[in-house]
């Protein structure tokens, strides 16, 4: 389900025109964010994250509220579609100058971006000229999570993984502390494959992003609009 904040932020204007063929000059002419921290701050309200008004690092502040910042230099459009959540992307011109944008919506041919004060629809073809596939977004880590979960591990994060996988499979959550054994890994690989993720049997941020949505539809994380 979509958060009201995301819907309101990304709702197209009445009578919206055809998507823009975005150019570097068009990006630079708008009040786009030059600082990644500014873009993180603009993204936070879509997730219901209240950041302090100070100049503190937004990711450190979000972590104190149990949210994590996730970044990938090479997510690419297929993974962004699969994760189905708003996030930050970096636009670069031929001189290497960069600006940060929020990616709010995706259709087969266009994307909705927020560049500073402006929200615009742009063609995916033009976006590909300026975007190298990076993507960053917020996610909620399970209690006890500090690193990617691997077979053989125990602890609260492994318990959360076992419980979420059980929910997805329509089974009762285990009552005893879990061990990341071969059976749990097998369930994880099936889930990752079904979600279009790399089925490596390791539970990291993208796996937990998809588990949260699949296991708890009431969590109301924002989604990309279409």
């Amino acid at each position: 389900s979509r958060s009201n904040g995301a819907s309101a932020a990304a709702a197209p204007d009445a009578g919206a025109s055809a998507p823009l063929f975005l150019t570097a000059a068009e990006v630079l002419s708008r009040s786009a964010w030059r600082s990644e921290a500014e873009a993180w701050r603009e993204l936070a309200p879509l997730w219901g994250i209240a950041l302090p008004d100070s100049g503190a690092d937004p990711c450190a502040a979000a972590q104190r509220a149990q949210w994590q910042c996730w970044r990938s230099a090479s997510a690419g459009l297929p993974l962004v579609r699969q994760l189905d959540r708003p996030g930050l992307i970096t636009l670069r011109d031929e001189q290497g100058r960069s600006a940060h944008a929020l990616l709010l919506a995706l259709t087969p041919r266009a994307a909705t971006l927020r560049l500073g004060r402006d929200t615009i629809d742009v063609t995916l073809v033009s976006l590909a000229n300026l975007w190298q596939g990076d993507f960053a977004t917020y996610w909620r880590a399970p209690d006890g999570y500090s690193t990617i979960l691997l077979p053989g591990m125990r602890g609260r994060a492994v318990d959360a993984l076992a419980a979420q996988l059980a929910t997805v499979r329509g089974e009762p959550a285990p009552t005893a502390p879990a061990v990341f054994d071969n059976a749990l890994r097998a369930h994880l690989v099936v889930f990752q494959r079904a979600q279009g993720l790399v089925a490596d049997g390791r539970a990291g941020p993208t796996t937990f992003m998809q588990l949260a949505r699949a296991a708890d539809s009431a969590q109301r994380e924002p989604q990309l609009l279409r």
Side-chain angles (χ1 to χ4, degrees), residues 18-221:
L20 173 73
F21 190 93
L22 188 66
T23 65
E26 179 73 23
V27 172
L28 294 172
S29 72
R30 296 176 182 268
S31 56
W33 303 293
R34 306 298 175 212
S35 159
E36 182 181 315
E38 289 180 287
W40 277 115
R41 288 185 174 279
E42 290 295 319
L43 181 64
L46 299 187
W47 297 87
I49 301 171
L51 297 179
D53 294 332
S54 67
D57 173 39
C59 289
Q63 191 166 5
R64 287 191 287 273
Q66 297 184 314
W67 290 95
Q68 304 273 346
C69 290
W70 176 77
R71 300 175 178 87
S72 171
S74 58
L77 202 56
L79 179 57
V80 170
R81 285 192 190 279
Q82 192 66 31
L83 295 178
D84 192 22
R85 57 216 286 126
L88 316 182
I89 62 173
T90 306
L91 307 177
R92 303 182 191 278
D93 66 10
E94 294 176 351
Q95 284 73 48
R97 292 174 294 187
S98 64
H100 300 282
L102 300 191
L103 176 62
L104 301 175
L106 272 179
T107 70
R109 292 183 295 178
T112 302
L113 304 181
R114 186 187 297 164
L115 287 161
R117 293 186 300 269
D118 301 327
T119 300
I120 56 175
D121 293 332
V122 304
T123 65
L124 294 186
V125 171
S126 67
L127 180 61
N129 289 330
L130 302 172
W131 176 53
Q132 297 177 348
D134 62 281
F135 187 68
T137 190
Y138 290 109
W139 70 289
R140 190 185 289 276
D143 288 343
Y145 180 93
S146 61
T147 188
I148 293 174
L149 303 186
L150 303 172
M153 286 184 169
R154 302 169 183 260
R156 288 177 297 160
V158 174
D159 293 343
L161 174 65
Q164 288 178 309
L165 284 170
T167 298
V168 169
R169 295 171 62 83
E171 300 170 352
T175 55
V179 180
F180 198 153
D181 55 15
N182 288 336
L184 186 60
R185 184 183 184 279
H187 292 331
L188 177 60
V189 166
V190 169
F191 175 80
Q192 290 173 324
R193 190 177 297 128
Q195 292 290 316
L197 301 174
V198 175
D200 59 4
R202 297 151 50 99
T206 56
T207 294
F208 277 111
M209 288 181 208
Q210 298 303 80
L211 272 170
R213 181 155 290 151
D216 185 8
S217 60
Q219 187 159 329
R220 298 190 62 78
E221 292 187 344

